[in-house]
Amino acid sequence: MKNSTKKIAKFGFFAKGSIYLISGTLTLLAALNMGGSKSGKFKVLDFLEKQPLGNVILIVLALGLISYATWRFIQCFKDPEQEGSDTKAKIKRAGFGVSGLIYLVLAGIAIKKVVSSSGGSSNTQNYIDMFGTTVVAIVFIAIGIALAVKAVFHLKKAYHKKFMDEYSIANLKYHTLAKNAGYFGYYARAVVEGIIAFFFLKAGLYSRQNEIKGTEDAFSFLQNSSYGSILLGLVAAGLASYGIFVLLLSKYKRFDN
């Protein structure tokens, strides 16, 4: 694998890890009533925009997210890590492509915040309504199923600790930190993805409400449940831990060739 490709991947992991670390930290502070706010990926962009040199930070982050999307597309179409071409591998590589699209959109929103004086988010409801209730319901059900499968995948990955296969860190001092952060982080991601999958499936099957639900809605769902603040704090800490895991991956990622 070319060194330039490895650098693109590592820069992308750094950007992704930063997003998760900030999201988890802000939400954990909110759960502890220490400021902060329930923050998904898009809310993190709003937070960064308000910081000193916010536009500079957003530009760097956007470049990192574009790098991550590029790495995902390379994994999808060129298979640099030799996942193979059987059914399981094709599904996994298709998932890489979807992930690339999501982070490319996130990068585009970050860039839009820099170039647009309004800094506001677009009204996704208007775009959804024009497709009609039936089409939106089908799409929501498909998204819900995909997220549910992803949640199960992350549960299995955490349980079997397969995520450590991504590292060349076995004999380094950060090995234990990476293992614990990944273990906690993948379980937290599975919880959030499972809740969002429930939202999409419910909207598609029953309510017919054309609403996009995301991480912030999952946080609110946790907060409004029994022992809400504790559950919210645990999941938020888990997402922050996942951010640490990915940041370490940006330095110690193992490439097979």
Side-chain angles (χ1 to χ4, degrees):
M1 188 185 302
K2 295 180 180 179
N3 285 332
S4 58
T5 302
K6 294 179 181 179
K7 290 179 180 178
I8 287 172
K10 289 186 174 185
F11 186 29
F13 282 119
F14 179 81
K16 178 184 177 181
S18 299
I19 288 283
Y20 272 96
L21 180 58
I22 295 170
S23 171
T25 301
L26 289 174
T27 304
L28 179 59
L29 290 173
L32 297 174
N33 294 317
M34 297 174 62
S37 62
K38 297 189 291 291
S39 301
K41 294 184 181 71
F42 300 108
K43 197 70 170 288
V44 168
L45 298 182
D46 293 335
F47 170 78
L48 292 175
E49 186 182 24
K50 297 173 184 176
Q51 304 310 305
L53 298 177
N55 283 348
V56 174
I57 296 172
L58 285 176
I59 290 172
V60 174
L61 182 65
L63 291 174
L65 293 173
I66 291 170
S67 295
Y68 185 75
T70 301
W71 166 243
R72 284 309 202 193
F73 291 142
I74 291 172
Q75 286 181 298
C76 177
F77 296 110
K78 293 189 175 182
D79 194 20
E81 297 181 304
Q82 300 179 1
E83 296 288 345
S85 57
D86 58 13
T87 302
K88 183 178 179 181
K90 287 180 179 178
I91 293 173
K92 188 174 182 179
R93 289 171 64 183
F96 291 149
V98 173
S99 177
L101 289 173
I102 291 171
Y103 281 94
L104 195 60
V105 169
L106 192 61
I109 293 173
I111 293 171
K112 182 181 178 182
K113 284 183 173 295
V114 175
V115 300
S116 173
S117 59
S118 63
S121 59
S122 59
N123 187 353
T124 54
Q125 188 66 39
N126 293 335
Y127 295 103
I128 294 172
D129 287 341
M130 66 182 175
F131 291 104
T133 304
T134 303
V135 174
V136 172
I138 293 171
V139 171
F140 276 26
I141 291 170
I143 292 173
I145 293 172
L147 285 170
V149 171
K150 190 176 180 182
V152 172
F153 172 77
H154 282 151
L155 281 174
K156 291 178 63 177
K157 199 168 186 177
Y159 181 77
H160 295 293
K161 297 184 176 65
K162 290 290 186 181
F163 53 83
M164 290 306 294
D165 294 343
E166 300 181 60
Y167 278 105
S168 57
I169 196 175
N171 298 317
L172 299 179
K173 62 181 179 180
Y174 295 114
H175 180 269
T176 301
L177 174 60
K179 182 174 69 175
N180 292 335
Y183 184 73
F184 193 16
Y186 274 107
Y187 274 124
R189 285 196 68 188
V191 170
V192 172
E193 288 158 356
I195 294 171
I196 299 173
F198 167 75
F199 286 152
F200 273 99
L201 288 172
K202 182 180 179 182
L205 291 170
Y206 300 111
S207 66
R208 293 294 192 268
Q209 294 175 351
N210 302 342
E211 300 175 359
I212 291 181
K213 300 288 188 178
T215 305
E216 292 175 53
D217 301 285
F219 288 151
S220 296
F221 178 85
L222 287 169
Q223 192 173 38
N224 293 331
S225 63
S226 300
Y227 306 103
S229 294
I230 295 174
L231 291 174
L232 179 62
L234 285 172
V235 171
L239 293 181
S241 295
Y242 181 75
I244 293 171
F245 171 82
V246 179
L247 286 172
L248 287 171
L249 198 62
S250 71
K251 183 172 178 61
Y252 298 110
K253 165 73 176 173
R254 178 174 64 84
F255 296 94
D256 291 330
N257 50 36

